[in-house]
Amino acid sequence: MHHFEYRDGALHAEDVPLSTIADTVGTPFYCYSSATLVRHYRVFAKAFEGQKALICYAVKANSNQAVIRTLAQEGAGADVVSEGELRRALAAGVPAERIVFSGVGKTRAEMAAALDAGIHQFNVESEPELDALSEVAVSKGVEAPVAMRVNPDVDPRTHEKISTGKKENKFGVPWSRARDIYARAAGLSGIRVVGVDVHIGSQLTDLGPFREAFSRVVDLVAMLRGEGHDIRRLDLGGGLGIPYEAGDAPPPHPDHYAALVRELTQPLDCEIILEPGRLIAGNAGVLVSRVIYVKEGESRRFVILDAAMNDLLRPSLYDAYHEIIPLNQPTDDQRAPVDVVGPVCETGDVFAKARPMPPLAAGDYVAILSAGAYGAVMASAYNSRPLVPEVLVRGSDYAVIRPRPSVADLIAQDRLPPWLENRA
Ligand SMILES: *Cc1c(COP(=O)(O)O)cnc(C)c1O
């Protein structure tokens, strides 16, 4: 469910026609719906009502301050994967005691920052990381609350680039080593073992792999408790998928996901931590773009947009499907296959291949849907294309929540070394 729909033939974000924003902000731009963000968070939170659940929004999906704050106001915590995200979450008003820190390569400086902030939990992914965290915590005279991220070796049946829970992936500690590593962790000063963590991948569209992974984790908790570890928290990660393509079977509803979690984990009486990212932000955002040219190729027609892979990488990186629709609602069902591409000098700069699209002409606006997660955050200035602005809508209000930098800003980031100055 989202709040982007045609009204009187014009695509709206909540009560604002997207063409109004396009005319004032210019294209391309990202546009997010507050109502959709809030709705997704509430549906998810409601699904877990009655369970001791802490919902930590995975900030990497969309880390704009306005997005994080919108969710923080709803009570969301944050799952962060860098000091930058930690500081963003804190700056947006997420209390430290609702922040968990994940990621395979936390530096000592990042650990120190998180310990100073007093975060809820470190999700530790290796023995060397555990040693480093122990040292940093001891040097500060504090204890770090730790869950080890275990790799359950489960196939999440999603795109290989967003699968994280198979044994060949870099994430987590090997299942077979978990017992020994917990024993070591228990003996390390500065470390307080509080839980077990798992995250098997992203855009999962069926509950089977979750059931497999969570069942294994539940068994592990029972075993670890038997060994004397005081395991009170179970972090089950994120990964619940969203619909991208109209006509696809809908992914599991959060209610069913939550029921599965309850069924499997209730006997343990743990605090459950959940880290949804895409589910909250994915369908809460669109990328609005303008057609620059329509070009007749030898064997196909190209619709060339002013948005490109540097603005939205998912199609190039993950072969991801995104619906593309005109801001002006087509009046009939006439469709012809076209390639929708960007202007970047890369063959991979393609949003859609042989996609049946209504007639489009230069100057028309289109919206690339489901671009709220892993969109703006992955953007780069490749081809010296300034990052595109982000806009947040709430009802009939909208605000630019990250302005478009100028090309001059971009150039001003570079510095000439002394030997190149004044030699133009
Ligand atoms: C990316 C990530 C998430 C969020 O995944 P979604 O598929 O966006 O829900 C949660 N936890 C960890 C550890 C992650 O790396």
Side-chain angles (χ1 to χ4, degrees):
M1 228 297 272
H2 59 71
H3 298 78
F4 299 94
E5 57 179 24
Y6 289 113
R7 291 190 195 165
D8 299 326
L11 190 65
H12 280 59
E14 303 188 29
D15 300 332
V16 183
L18 282 166
S19 60
T20 303
I21 306 177
D23 290 342
T24 49
V25 175
T27 55
F29 65 92
Y30 278 97
C31 179
Y32 311 128
S33 155
S34 303
T36 309
L37 288 167
V38 166
R39 184 191 143 84
H40 287 166
Y41 179 79
R42 288 185 184 166
V43 165
F44 196 81
K46 187 157 190 309
F48 281 92
E49 241 170 37
Q51 304 190 53
K52 270 188 294 178
L54 174 61
I55 298 168
C56 295
Y57 165 62
V59 167
K60 77 176 195 281
N62 185 323
S63 57
N64 190 290
Q65 284 292 288
V67 170
I68 305 174
R69 180 163 296 188
T70 298
L71 295 167
Q73 284 181 345
E74 291 291 311
D79 168 43
V80 302
V81 294
S82 69
E83 181 177 348
E85 285 191 357
L86 170 66
R87 295 202 183 282
R88 276 183 182 276
L90 292 168
V94 181
E97 61 274 13
R98 290 177 161 272
I99 296 178
V100 299
F101 194 168
S102 304
V104 295
K106 303 175 197 77
T107 65
R108 285 161 199 255
E110 290 181 313
M111 292 169 176
L115 285 169
D116 289 344
I119 65 163
H120 188 58
Q121 177 170 303
F122 290 84
N123 291 333
V124 172
E125 304 217 13
S126 68
E127 286 172 275
E129 184 192 336
L130 193 59
D131 292 336
L133 183 56
S134 162
E135 280 172 32
V136 176
V138 167
S139 77
K140 291 184 170 292
V142 295
E143 276 197 323
V146 164
M148 292 304 301
R149 176 167 175 182
V150 291
N151 185 324
D153 192 20
V154 164
D155 183 354
R157 303 199 277 279
T158 181
H159 191 280
E160 63 167 319
K161 286 200 175 131
I162 46 177
S163 155
T164 59
K166 291 193 277 184
K167 61 176 184 286
E168 60 268 32
N169 300 134
K170 71 180 176 186
F171 299 98
V173 298
W175 197 256
S176 55
R177 299 268 307 127
R179 180 184 188 164
D180 290 350
I181 293 173
Y182 269 91
R184 263 202 71 209
L188 282 177
S189 32
I191 299 291
R192 182 162 47 92
V193 173
V194 295
V196 177
D197 169 46
V198 69
H199 170 75
I200 57 172
S202 200
Q203 186 53 15
L204 272 73
T205 51
D206 103 66
L207 289 179
F210 285 122
R211 175 178 287 279
E212 245 182 285
F214 298 168
S215 306
R216 299 202 73 179
V217 170
V218 166
D219 292 346
L220 181 68
V221 171
M223 188 271 279
L224 292 172
R225 283 181 172 171
E227 306 254 297
H229 300 287
D230 187 16
I231 306 293
R232 295 153 181 252
R233 301 181 192 164
L234 209 46
D235 185 332
L236 299 177
L240 192 55
I242 61 167
Y244 277 99
E245 193 167 348
D248 269 2
H253 191 277
D255 285 348
H256 297 138
Y257 173 77
L260 173 71
V261 170
R262 179 195 296 271
E263 173 202 325
L264 296 175
T265 69
Q266 198 166 33
L268 297 175
D269 192 32
C270 278
E271 175 193 51
I272 304 297
I273 299 172
L274 302 144
E275 303 170 348
R278 186 189 309 271
L279 183 88
I280 305 289
N283 284 323
V286 299
L287 174 60
V288 177
S289 179
R290 194 170 51 86
V291 176
I292 310 177
Y293 298 116
V294 177
K295 163 171 156 172
E296 301 297 338
E298 190 92 341
S299 59
R300 55 185 72 199
R301 176 178 295 166
F302 297 99
V303 173
I304 304 171
L305 302 182
D306 64 358
M309 62 186 287
N310 69 295
D311 306 311
L312 177 64
L313 189 57
R314 298 191 68 260
S316 304
L317 187 61
Y318 309 127
D319 309 310
Y321 184 100
H322 286 265
E323 298 274 339
I324 304 172
I325 61 174
L327 295 200
N328 283 328
Q329 188 169 24
T331 44
D332 56 30
D333 264 352
Q334 212 189 322
R335 295 268 189 287
V338 295
D339 284 11
V340 183
V341 303
V344 159
C345 300
E346 292 281 347
T347 308
D349 185 21
V350 177
F351 289 117
K353 269 216 163 86
R355 175 82 58 91
M357 293 283 291
L360 286 167
D364 288 352
Y365 291 134
V366 298
I368 303 175
L369 305 186
S370 314
Y374 308 108
V377 283
M378 285 184 151
S380 77
Y382 185 39
N383 279 207
S384 287
R385 295 165 45 85
L387 293 182
V388 306
E390 294 173 275
V391 173
L392 182 65
V393 169
R394 197 190 66 161
S396 53
D397 290 336
Y398 72 91
V400 174
I401 57 173
R402 190 182 68 192
R404 188 190 309 276
S406 66
V407 172
D409 294 336
L410 209 62
I411 296 172
Q413 289 177 342
D414 297 355
R415 295 288 179 275
L416 286 173
W419 64 89
L420 291 176
E421 280 174 15
N422 308 318
R423 295 273 182 92

